[in-house]
Amino acid sequence: MSTHLEVIVVGAGISGVGAGARLREAGIRDFLIIERADDFGGTWRANTYPGCQCDVPSRLYSYSFAPNRDWTRVYAHQPEILAYVRRVADTCRLREHTLFGVSVTEARWQPGHARWLVRTDAGEFTARFLVAGAGPWNEPLLPDVPGLDRFPGEVFHSARWNHDYDLRGKRVAVLGTGASAVQFVPAIAPEVARLHLFQRTAQWVLPKLDHHIPKAERWAMRRLPGARAAVASLEYRAMEALGRGFRRPSLMRGVQAIARAHLRATVRDAGLRRKLTPDYTLGCKRILFSNHYYPALNRPNVAVHASAVQAVEGTVVHAADGSCAEVDAIILGTGFHILDTPLSGLVRDGAGRSLADHWRGSPEAYLGTVVAGFPNAFLLLGPGLGTGHSSAFAILEAQLDLVLSAIRAAREGSWTALEVRGDVQAAYNARLQAALAGTIYNSGGCRSYYLDVNGRNSFSWPWSTDRLRAEVGRFEVRDFTVTRTPDGVTGPRQSTA
């Protein structure tokens, strides 16, 4: 395999697989996907905790060029999603383009050569284009709790579930009440002797309209023309209706009333219900869906501590409110490095400054995809593209339209490099932040992972998914500075297109 390629893709999750499939579709074969794990799958490979399930309807959770017509549930479980992603990768023959078990240690732009130098623990590669597809749900976030590192029992993060550890009959502490905990707590509660749930912030939980899809319906999805598209369209419009509430907080009152009724119907104990009632508007944090979370908390062997953990001393977990619990195991449902991904410290410009150095705690990009100072580089599922209601596949495919259009234009125009203009990026992000100001994400009265260390919303998209597809998926050469090498002339020549 040549060490110089046209495209290097970092990561082999849904972003990397989508990028590889679209590159092959465009007739580009000179690319390499670098993946530190041993197979495709990304977050769906890493997260194997009990009860792991998608919270977006299955029919919206697939590539448009490879729709899955045979989902067995309205909301698919992890094994089925992982199998689907790997099936697409194999169908698109991506294994022959992928290096598994290899970690990227640095990617640096070389302006003199107009290429990316990618260093890995298996050697160096160079490429004309770099596509960063590691995603925001990649690196587990471990809490800084005094004494946790000295806990004598078992400790693991939900994204690194230890299936060799038998939880049956154990006293277990769960730290965190986010999307993962809402799924694995009901799965393990019947097995453990005692479960102590430490809740720093109460979460709004909506009922999940989930069920097994009968064989007859699956047959119709496969055989009847337009059946799958019609159902998927209805589900998409329902999710978009929910999305309007994020942009118009007054509309969220009705949805919040459903969540409150769900809590009241499933938790009869008034004291527990008070602990589980949030003090912010629904949508300010990620909305959670579950039919089993609240019933699990009603179990006699489950205790809810409405407080963050303050310290761990020996086998005892101490909460900030003075409560404590002696446990055999601690499970961390504490999320991921969403806005401070490790890759941002590894991707460097021509002067050696990393993305993290440029961002200084507040990630931003133009259309969530390209960053001034980083020519020929693209971020997938980048900053400012997260929504509270739509599928990551919709966001990803809009970005891939932009990426492939840019690469195609560079090839046809004989450009050695293209870089988004700094003024274009600044104007776009000013418009983005102005639109976010009135959304639930910013004004709902909570502190969420949407907000970065500077208090700025670097995660969210403030408009509809239709608008995201239209804006993000369009490559406009006037937004970029391009570098051309004229025939017979050595060295690059820059111009603003």
Side-chain angles (χ1 to χ4, degrees):
M1 179 184 295
S2 170
T3 57
H4 180 74
L5 304 111
E6 185 158 18
V7 184
I8 286 180
V9 179
V10 181
I14 65 170
S15 296
V17 169
R22 289 293 301 275
L23 286 167
R24 283 191 62 95
E25 181 185 51
I28 300 172
R29 300 289 189 268
D30 188 22
F31 70 91
L32 177 67
I33 302 172
I34 301 176
E35 169 58 52
R36 67 181 181 178
D38 60 358
D39 208 340
F40 297 104
T43 190
W44 296 108
R45 173 201 53 78
N47 286 273
T48 61
Y49 59 80
C52 185
Q53 185 179 17
C54 192
D55 54 10
V56 172
S58 303
R59 292 186 186 94
L60 303 180
Y61 206 75
S62 59
Y63 303 104
S64 63
F65 55 83
N68 186 359
R69 294 178 171 82
D70 204 32
W71 293 114
T72 62
R73 298 197 67 86
V74 174
Y75 293 87
H77 285 262
Q78 176 266 341
E80 193 170 6
I81 299 171
L82 179 60
Y84 164 72
V85 173
R86 289 180 175 171
R87 187 164 64 249
V88 172
D90 288 334
T91 301
C92 295
R93 300 177 61 184
L94 297 185
R95 289 191 186 274
E96 62 195 64
H97 293 275
T98 306
L99 277 182
F100 293 110
V102 174
S103 295
V104 171
T105 57
E106 184 185 57
R108 185 186 291 251
W109 175 248
Q110 296 186 307
H113 300 285
R115 67 184 185 184
W116 282 93
L117 171 64
V118 180
R119 293 189 171 99
T120 77
D121 54 13
E124 295 184 351
F125 302 86
T126 56
R128 186 180 180 192
F129 299 100
L130 177 71
V131 178
W137 297 279
N138 174 43
E139 190 67 26
L141 178 63
L142 305 179
D144 184 16
V145 176
L148 181 61
D149 58 339
R150 298 188 297 277
F151 178 69
E154 186 69 22
V155 181
F156 55 85
H157 192 278
S158 60
R160 302 290 184 269
W161 197 272
N162 184 358
H163 292 278
D164 294 329
Y165 183 76
D166 190 354
L167 290 168
R168 288 176 297 181
K170 300 295 195 304
R171 299 165 300 174
V172 177
V174 173
L175 278 57
T177 53
S180 300
V182 161
Q183 294 182 347
F184 73 72
V185 164
I188 68 172
E191 299 181 354
V192 302
R194 187 74 171 159
L195 192 152
H196 294 273
L197 180 66
F198 290 88
Q199 171 192 273
R200 183 176 59 183
T201 308
Q203 304 275 5
W204 286 112
V205 181
L206 286 168
K208 199 166 192 174
L209 303 177
D210 186 29
H211 61 81
H212 178 77
I213 299 175
K215 289 184 178 180
E217 183 178 338
R218 287 156 59 195
W219 179 90
M221 294 301 104
R222 290 193 304 268
R223 300 297 179 87
L224 298 183
R228 180 195 170 279
V231 175
S233 177
L234 286 173
E235 291 177 334
Y236 175 79
R237 292 303 162 194
M239 298 297 281
E240 285 300 288
L242 176 62
R244 292 192 192 98
F246 291 94
R247 302 186 293 277
R248 297 181 178 85
S250 61
L251 297 179
M252 271 297 184
R253 295 195 189 104
V255 184
Q256 186 167 304
I258 296 172
R260 195 180 295 276
H262 178 50
L263 173 60
R264 190 182 304 114
T266 50
V267 178
R268 296 297 184 182
D269 182 88
L272 177 58
R273 198 162 58 240
R274 278 194 298 273
K275 290 182 180 181
L276 298 174
T277 302
D279 60 359
Y280 55 85
T281 306
L282 183 143
C284 182
K285 286 178 173 285
R286 178 175 175 176
I287 298 179
L288 307 180
F289 298 86
S290 177
N291 301 324
H292 310 296
Y293 181 62
Y294 287 148
L297 303 186
N298 286 324
R299 295 180 59 90
N301 67 326
V302 175
V304 176
H305 302 257
S307 174
V309 170
Q310 187 174 55
V312 176
E313 295 180 354
T315 59
V316 180
V317 179
H318 295 271
D321 66 357
S323 64
C324 62
E326 186 168 8
V327 297
D328 306 301
I330 299 175
I331 303 176
L332 308 174
T334 46
F336 299 88
H337 286 273
I338 300 289
L339 298 175
D340 58 340
T341 61
L343 195 64
S344 66
L346 305 179
V347 178
R348 299 184 177 276
D349 64 14
R353 296 179 66 219
S354 68
L355 275 170
D357 293 334
H358 279 252
W359 288 339
R360 292 180 293 178
S362 292
E364 70 170 40
Y366 177 55
L367 300 174
T369 310
V370 288
V371 180
F374 294 82
N376 289 15
F378 307 94
L379 307 177
L380 299 181
L381 301 182
L385 291 179
T387 74
H389 63 283
S390 58
S391 167
F393 283 85
I395 301 167
L396 170 65
E397 293 207 41
Q399 288 189 280
L400 290 175
D401 285 344
L402 171 63
V403 172
L404 269 296
S405 295
I407 292 176
R408 190 178 299 112
R411 292 174 119 204
E412 293 172 354
S414 299
W415 305 338
T416 57
L418 68 160
E419 176 188 345
V420 67
R421 290 164 38 200
D423 62 317
V424 170
Q425 179 176 309
Y428 166 79
N429 279 280
R431 181 164 55 92
L432 187 77
Q433 291 301 316
L436 282 168
T439 63
I440 283 286
Y441 308 120
N442 284 30
S443 61
C446 74
R447 175 82 193 186
S448 72
Y449 68 69
Y450 305 146
L451 306 183
D452 59 38
V453 294
N454 300 316
R456 182 174 185 258
N457 190 332
S458 297
F459 180 84
S460 302
W461 172 264
W463 300 295
S464 69
T465 309
D466 288 340
R467 181 167 173 174
L468 187 152
R469 285 170 159 167
E471 286 197 24
V472 174
R474 185 174 62 247
F475 172 70
E476 297 285 359
V477 66
R478 66 174 179 267
D479 296 332
F480 292 78
T481 298
V482 302
T483 304
R484 297 180 174 90
T485 304
D487 293 339
V489 178
T490 13
R493 180 183 70 190
Q494 281 197 343
S495 67
T496 300

